[in-house]
Amino acid sequence: MGSTGTIASLPSLPMELVEEEILCRLPVKILLQLRCVCKSWRSLISDDPKFTKKHLCMSKILKQQQHLILNVPIGGRLSLDYPLSDFFSDISNPTVTQTQLNIPISNSWNHPLSQICSCDGLLCLTFDGRSRTFGERPAVLYNPSLRKYSTLPPLENHRKREYSYREVKSCLFSFGYDHVNDVYKVIAISCFKDKHKVDVYTLGTNNWRSIQDFPYSSPFKHGVFVGGTVNWLVDPYSSPFIVSLDLKTESYQKIWQPDLKMDLWALGMFRDCLCIFASSDFFDQNMGCYNMFLDVWIMKEYGIKESWTKLYHVPYMENQYTYPNTVYISDDDQLLFTVDDDEWKWVVYNSKNGNVKIPNIVRRNYWIPPVVYVESLISLPCSY
């Protein structure tokens, strides 16, 4: 209290400081609650694109608001959400918190998820089966932090004048951000017997448009977004190579991979760089059986073959019957992956000391690979 007996007023922080040092660091759930504090905060959190980008950037830096989605075949379409930080707890067998992720569109369509792509907190979801409302292969953009989604126009409607969609053998959707034009784009590759048609949907528009056909054979799976490009692995079982699509120019190029011989490749992203997870096996004379291992390569300068560098070597682990599926790499060099010993088992491998942790999580089989996303305030336009 002051000398006159009145309560001294607390100093107020400038709004710029509150925004930069406090609000930008908060989880989305808390920010949504803070919208009711005052009109200026509501406008900042809900409608300010600059604040949305600042919050996303801080979420990526702090890495405290990252989640892992696992889709399991229970009732056909159960999606589970896990805080990624739980997997890397200091205890030997950390307990991982599990919550059910609400994807309302899957319940109404009665179709299981077939694919999930993630970019800046937005998920691109595709579903199996026929939908009377959304065409043969429904596709949706979904922000799980805001619980808002937007359905994409049916790709079949765009292509139906050229051919019957019954001719399509498979369709791969990829998702990324064109930072030059500040737009998000969905890339769809429709695989036919002798051609691979490519269409692009730009978030905020209401239509698909065709670009140059995919110049090589069918990609192995959906593409990996890295620095304004989407990258696909082609022909992974014999002579694998990487094809890249620049999201600004929408042109393709072939990316040279490192000189290595491995049985199975997969693409990923680590430290904003393209990386290769290369698995192989060898016959162990002492054990009288084949042992499997994993190497992780990173392309430090995108497009430069000489910049490929091997970062990690993960040795064979007991009771490992399949190649490890790498899900995430932490900044302190811990690798999270799954292996199959009757059911999928989660493993955290510390590359610095070789220690292994088995997180305490319900062991389930899953239909599609786990996906990591970061909390985001990015809004979605209304459905078509």
Side-chain angles (χ1 to χ4, degrees), residues 276-313:
I276 291 176
F277 304 113
S279 302
S280 190
D281 56 24
F282 67 97
F283 188 79
D284 190 315
Q285 296 288 348
N286 295 326
M287 299 183 63
C289 63
Y290 282 93
N291 291 342
M292 302 173 189
F293 64 90
L294 169 72
D295 288 341
V296 180
W297 291 73
I298 186 172
M299 195 178 211
K300 294 184 176 181
E301 296 183 52
Y302 187 82
I304 307 300
K305 179 180 179 181
E306 291 73 20
S307 71
W308 281 109
T309 304
K310 186 167 76 170
L311 288 186
Y312 309 109
H313 174 80

Side-chain angles (χ1 to χ4, degrees), residues 130-378:
R130 181 187 300 272
S131 168
R132 294 180 180 178
T133 306
F134 300 104
E136 296 278 351
R137 291 172 177 82
V140 170
L141 293 179
Y142 178 53
N143 185 328
S145 302
L146 300 179
R147 297 186 179 181
K148 293 184 178 180
Y149 69 92
S150 177
T151 58
L152 275 61
L155 180 59
E156 290 80 356
N157 289 355
H158 167 67
R159 284 289 190 180
K160 65 183 179 181
R161 295 183 180 179
E162 298 182 31
Y163 49 76
S164 168
Y165 226 77
R166 299 177 184 275
E167 302 175 38
V168 179
K169 296 173 59 180
S170 63
C171 191
L172 296 173
F173 289 81
S174 302
F175 185 47
Y177 175 62
D178 174 1
H179 63 276
V180 177
N181 296 306
D182 191 22
V183 291
Y184 291 89
K185 294 181 178 180
V186 179
I187 312 298
I189 301 180
S190 301
C191 303
F192 296 80
K193 183 178 180 180
D194 56 354
K195 56 188 173 183
H196 302 86
K197 296 291 184 179
V198 182
D199 299 288
V200 177
Y201 175 82
T202 301
L203 185 60
T205 65
N206 196 32
N207 61 281
W208 292 90
R209 52 187 174 80
S210 302
I211 64 172
Q212 178 189 347
D213 290 358
F214 195 75
Y216 300 96
S217 60
S218 175
F220 177 57
K221 58 182 294 186
H222 66 79
V224 174
F225 172 72
V226 176
T229 67
V230 176
N231 302 265
W232 293 271
L233 183 63
V234 178
D235 199 11
Y237 296 107
S238 55
S239 301
F241 61 95
I242 302 167
V243 176
S244 169
L245 176 69
D246 187 306
L247 291 181
K248 174 183 177 294
T249 63
E250 296 179 355
S251 58
Y252 303 95
Q253 68 168 321
K254 192 172 182 179
I255 302 296
W256 294 102
Q257 66 270 15
D259 296 323
L260 68 161
K261 294 182 179 180
M262 293 290 179
D263 295 327
L264 185 63
W265 287 23
L267 291 183
M269 190 268 287
F270 176 53
R271 295 174 182 169
D272 296 325
C273 295
L274 186 67
C275 64
I276 291 176
F277 304 113
S279 302
S280 190
D281 56 24
F282 67 97
F283 188 79
D284 190 315
Q285 296 288 348
N286 295 326
M287 299 183 63
C289 63
Y290 282 93
N291 291 342
M292 302 173 189
F293 64 90
L294 169 72
D295 288 341
V296 180
W297 291 73
I298 186 172
M299 195 178 211
K300 294 184 176 181
E301 296 183 52
Y302 187 82
I304 307 300
K305 179 180 179 181
E306 291 73 20
S307 71
W308 281 109
T309 304
K310 186 167 76 170
L311 288 186
Y312 309 109
H313 174 80
V314 181
Y316 168 79
M317 297 180 184
E318 188 177 359
N319 296 327
Q320 177 183 329
Y321 301 128
T322 63
Y323 295 110
N325 172 37
T326 309
V327 177
Y328 184 79
I329 306 175
S330 68
D331 286 341
D332 60 350
D333 302 309
Q334 297 188 76
L335 285 76
L336 172 65
F337 55 88
T338 58
V339 293
D340 184 15
D341 59 346
D342 296 331
E343 287 185 300
W344 287 102
K345 176 172 66 178
W346 292 88
V347 177
V348 177
Y349 173 77
N350 190 321
S351 65
K352 293 181 178 179
N353 54 29
N355 289 342
V356 173
K357 293 187 295 186
I358 308 298
N360 184 15
I361 181 174
V362 177
R363 295 172 64 178
R364 308 177 186 267
N365 293 321
Y366 56 80
W367 282 0
I368 53 180
V371 174
V372 173
Y373 75 91
V374 63
E375 292 185 15
S376 166
L377 290 168
I378 296 175

Side-chain angles (χ1 to χ4, degrees), residues 69-122:
I69 296 177
L70 181 64
N71 193 254
V72 295
I74 298 179
R77 53 184 185 278
L78 176 63
S79 297
L80 304 176
D81 189 299
Y82 305 89
L84 194 60
S85 58
D86 285 3
F87 288 89
F88 300 100
S89 171
D90 291 335
I91 61 178
S92 58
N93 297 104
T95 299
V96 181
T97 305
Q98 173 183 298
T99 58
Q100 184 171 341
L101 183 65
N102 181 29
I103 302 182
I105 53 269
S106 65
N107 294 330
S108 61
W109 289 350
N110 197 31
H111 296 313
L113 274 169
S114 61
Q115 181 182 319
I116 305 178
C117 301
S118 173
C119 178
D120 291 350
L122 299 180

Side-chain angles (χ1 to χ4, degrees), residues 18-32 34 41 45 51 54-56 58-59 62 64-65 375-377:
V18 173
E19 176 184 333
E20 293 282 350
E21 300 298 330
I22 301 177
L23 296 181
C24 275
R25 300 170 180 266
L26 296 178
V28 169
K29 182 178 180 179
I30 296 178
L31 287 174
L32 296 181
L34 292 177
W41 281 25
I45 296 169
F51 178 76
K54 289 178 183 177
H55 179 267
L56 176 62
M58 189 58 65
S59 296
L62 296 177
Q64 296 174 345
Q65 301 172 30
E375 292 185 15
S376 166
L377 290 168

